[in-house]
Amino acid sequence: MHDETGLIKQAVRGDSRALSELLRQHYSFLYQYVLKVTMNKTRAEDITQETMLKAIEKIATFQYKAKFSTWLITIASRLVVDRIRRNELEKNWIQSEQSMHAIRFETLQRGDDWPAALQALGELSSDIRIPVLLKYYYGYAQEEISTMLDIPVGTVKSRLHNGLKQLRKELTEHEEA
């Protein structure tokens, strides 16, 4: 095993052999860490590989403030968190789509019309849809919505403006179709 500090210095200066040796020495350790975090062999392999690629891309930014293994774990941890966020967003979107289809199906089953406005409302992201519903359907004031959602009044105004703009666009496209 080569002197790790020397390998790091060479790798930071652009020595690809030194970087390759460093990554080889830390691969198993990193993989075991990611495996414990994800509890999923395939995901752990993917994230470990992605971490190695990021390390190759970012080696010149290594600051020597922590051990090399700590730097790799930091990269891997951020990738895991990013992937969890992405998966949550994807899962929420799928659930939202399924819910909207279920509501539409029930409405049509009862023989009711499915209004274009309801379809357009369903197309809005929830962070915009909620203030629009609270303001224009339930009649709450912007300040009340701000308090309810724990966001600044300016954000409420912006979301309402963007929501109405999107609704107008959706409804205009629906009429033209």
Side-chain angles (χ1 to χ4, degrees), residues 50-112:
E50 199 173 337
T51 301
M52 293 293 168
L53 289 173
K54 287 267 189 223
I56 292 167
E57 290 173 12
K58 304 285 185 187
I59 187 62
T61 66
F62 184 75
Q63 299 287 314
Y64 302 95
K65 292 179 181 173
K67 293 177 11 182
F68 188 75
S69 58
T70 304
W71 185 65
L72 289 174
I73 284 177
T74 301
I75 294 171
S77 297
R78 288 180 182 159
L79 289 170
V80 168
V81 169
D82 287 347
R83 198 162 287 189
I84 289 169
R85 282 187 192 133
R86 208 170 32 244
N87 288 345
E88 279 300 310
L89 287 172
E90 212 171 271
K91 190 168 74 178
N92 289 342
W93 181 81
I94 289 170
Q95 287 174 342
S96 173
E97 285 294 303
Q98 289 172 339
S99 294
M100 192 168 92
H101 287 298
I103 292 169
R104 184 177 186 173
F105 180 76
E106 285 177 22
T107 302
L108 294 173
Q109 285 294 98
R110 287 194 310 260
D112 296 340

Side-chain angles (χ1 to χ4, degrees), residues 6 8 18 34-35 39 46-47 76 119-120 132 134 141 171:
I8 293 169
V34 177
L35 184 60
M39 299 302 253
D46 290 347
I47 291 171
Q119 180 68 31
V132 167
L134 290 173
L171 292 171

Side-chain angles (χ1 to χ4, degrees), residues 1-16:
M1 182 167 163
H2 293 87
D3 172 41
E4 184 171 284
T5 307
L7 283 174
I8 293 169
K9 287 179 182 174
Q10 291 173 334
V12 169
R13 285 193 301 260
D15 184 335
S16 59

Side-chain angles (χ1 to χ4, degrees), residues 8 12 20 25 37 39 41 44 52 57 67 95 112 120 122 126 128 130 137 156:
I8 293 169
V12 169
S20 176
Q25 288 176 9
V37 169
M39 299 302 253
K41 189 176 187 297
M52 293 293 168
E57 290 173 12
K67 293 177 11 182
Q95 287 174 342
D112 296 340
S126 62
I128 292 177
I130 293 169
Y137 190 80
V156 172

Side-chain angles (χ1 to χ4, degrees), residues 119-173:
Q119 180 68 31
L121 193 60
E123 299 293 325
L124 298 177
S125 63
S126 62
D127 64 323
I128 292 177
R129 184 182 329 124
I130 293 169
V132 167
L133 280 170
L134 290 173
K135 172 75 175 156
Y136 299 108
Y137 190 80
Y138 293 99
Y140 288 101
Q142 293 175 355
E143 293 76 19
E144 291 174 304
I145 297 169
S146 168
T147 304
M148 293 165 95
L149 301 179
D150 194 29
I151 57 176
V153 174
T155 303
V156 172
K157 289 179 182 178
S158 171
R159 290 181 182 175
L160 290 172
H161 173 77
N162 291 334
L164 289 179
K165 191 170 150 185
Q166 280 182 259
L167 285 172
R168 282 187 193 111
K169 182 180 175 209
E170 291 285 331
L171 292 171
T172 303
E173 287 175 4

